[in-house]
Amino acid sequence: MPSRSLPLFLATFLTCGAAAAQSWQAVPSGTTAELRGLSVVSAKVAWASGAHGTVLRTVDGAHWQALQVPDADGIDLRDIQAFDADSAVAMGAGPGAASRIYRTDDGGAHWQLQATNADPDGFWDAMAFWDKQHGILFGDPVKGRFQVYLTADGGRSWRAQATSGLDALEHEGAFAASGTCLAVAGADDAWIATGGASESRVFHSSDHGRSWRAAGTPIPAGAAAKGVFSVAFLDAKTGIAVGGDYQNRHLAGVNGAGTDDGGATWRALPVQPAGYLSVVATVPGTRGVLVAAGLAGSGLTRDGGKTWTVIGRTPLNTVGFAGPDSGWAVGPKGLLMKYTTTTASSAAVEN
């Protein structure tokens, strides 16, 4: 009589032979606004943001509610940081007072304006948080120097930071395309990605944003639409940057770079899909898994960026993850997609 359970060696073989396939599944968003900001808190909770003061929220990992920040119809919310189902901070990107910070603590029912860029030449690009209280805000150069602000109260107040090492090259700036041209790790490390100048660069601070050191990358720049658009770090030493030319999403050439020394030096990486990528994101709960995406599509690496697999061709703006099975993507015209993983066994059991 056959056993009701598989022999141990066969069970092990089937598990090892199982192949996981990743893909994206479109989900109704309830909006047609361009979406660029994304913060995935858990398998159930995630927030997104975009043009015309638009914010989206899910608390069950399936259904999304479209929200509107009051008096922000003309504000492009390019970045959002959520802490839980109730609390989130959204950043508007734009010239002068169009750059601003809002916070909610009741699930988006009410929003408070917390900060506005007082410099008419300023343009905020991204924000990131080391923890629920401590965060950093970054903006394009004013009088030849990039702007940096810090918060120690969850984004309720921000103070301009006196910094060293943030002098900009001629025509250098950052890209508020996905809210990920700024990344943090640990309690003090931060990185800023730039382009538009004679070279693309990544700035690194190891002292909580007080001092910075820039390093060139092999990702081409030299034009206003070209450079590094996103940077992500697996730890304080290992990171990946992606970019390209947002005016030519299928342009061939180097669109990725990697570092093993905290951003002191960068080497070219063959990130897939080829072309313009606006975001690279780590996948928590894994070792060496990252997802890159942009108008060229999306790709995945399981070995820290050495090899890549294309997982989709749909144009995206940004992606975010809380774990290997908790990922989302947003894009043009209200596009909202859920990251899915299916397992197909490479072996068959015969009766």
Side-chain angles (χ1 to χ4, degrees):
M1 182 176 179
S3 170
R4 290 181 179 273
S5 61
L6 291 172
L8 178 60
F9 79 89
L10 182 56
T12 302
F13 173 76
L14 289 174
T15 301
C16 295
Q22 289 73 32
S23 62
W24 299 101
Q25 179 182 1
V27 174
S29 68
T31 183
T32 58
E34 185 93 6
L35 299 175
R36 293 188 181 273
L38 182 62
S39 183
V40 184
V41 179
S42 67
K44 291 186 176 182
V45 178
W47 297 65
S49 63
H52 313 302
T54 302
V55 171
L56 306 179
R57 183 185 72 135
T58 180
V59 294
D60 63 5
H63 306 92
W64 288 73
Q65 176 188 15
L67 307 168
Q68 176 67 44
V69 177
D71 302 319
D73 291 353
I75 303 301
D76 196 354
L77 299 176
R78 295 290 185 98
D79 200 0
I80 190 165
Q81 173 70 54
F83 306 109
D84 50 46
D86 296 319
S87 301
V89 177
M91 184 206 79
S99 287
R100 52 182 67 182
I101 299 289
Y102 296 92
R103 180 177 170 116
T104 181
D105 288 294
D106 58 8
H110 301 89
W111 294 84
Q112 293 78 42
L113 178 62
Q114 307 289 356
T116 300
N117 195 333
D119 197 311
D121 295 325
F123 192 111
W124 290 344
D125 294 298
M127 63 180 175
F129 281 76
W130 287 281
D131 55 45
K132 289 185 177 182
Q133 298 299 321
H134 299 89
I136 182 171
L137 175 64
F138 157 65
D140 278 342
V142 173
K143 298 179 180 178
R145 292 177 60 83
F146 287 101
Q147 292 185 309
V148 169
Y149 303 78
L150 296 177
T151 181
D153 57 10
R156 295 177 178 86
S157 64
W158 297 81
R159 68 183 186 278
Q161 183 68 26
T163 61
S164 62
L166 281 179
D167 293 330
L169 301 174
E170 187 177 8
H171 304 305
E172 188 174 21
F175 300 102
S178 63
T180 61
C181 60
L182 169 64
V184 298
D188 293 298
D189 285 288
W191 294 267
I192 289 169
T194 73
S198 56
E199 65 175 336
S200 62
R201 301 198 292 174
V202 174
F203 293 78
H204 175 220
S205 171
S206 59
D207 58 5
H208 212 74
R210 296 177 182 85
S211 62
W212 300 79
R213 177 171 293 183
T217 85
I219 298 175
K226 299 171 67 175
V228 180
F229 281 71
S230 179
V231 63
F233 274 75
L234 293 165
D235 52 49
K237 296 294 185 182
T238 310
I240 292 180
V242 299
D245 184 342
Y246 72 75
Q247 293 182 339
N248 189 347
R249 68 183 189 181
H250 297 302
L251 180 68
V254 177
N255 67 346
T259 181
D260 295 316
D261 55 16
T265 60
W266 295 84
R267 65 187 183 282
L269 287 180
V271 180
Q272 294 294 322
Y276 165 61
L277 300 173
S278 55
V279 61
V280 59
T282 61
V283 180
T286 66
R287 297 185 63 180
V289 178
L290 300 99
V291 173
L295 297 183
S298 54
L300 175 142
T301 179
R302 297 184 182 279
D303 53 16
K306 297 175 184 176
T307 59
W308 292 79
T309 300
V310 176
I311 59 175
R313 296 290 183 181
T314 300
L316 303 172
N317 286 334
T318 196
V319 299
F321 295 85
D325 297 315
S326 307
W328 293 91
V330 296
K333 299 179 180 179
L335 178 67
L336 176 64
M337 305 190 85
K338 187 171 186 177
Y339 185 76
T340 62
T341 301
T342 58
T343 302
S345 175
S346 60
V349 179
E350 294 182 359
N351 293 328

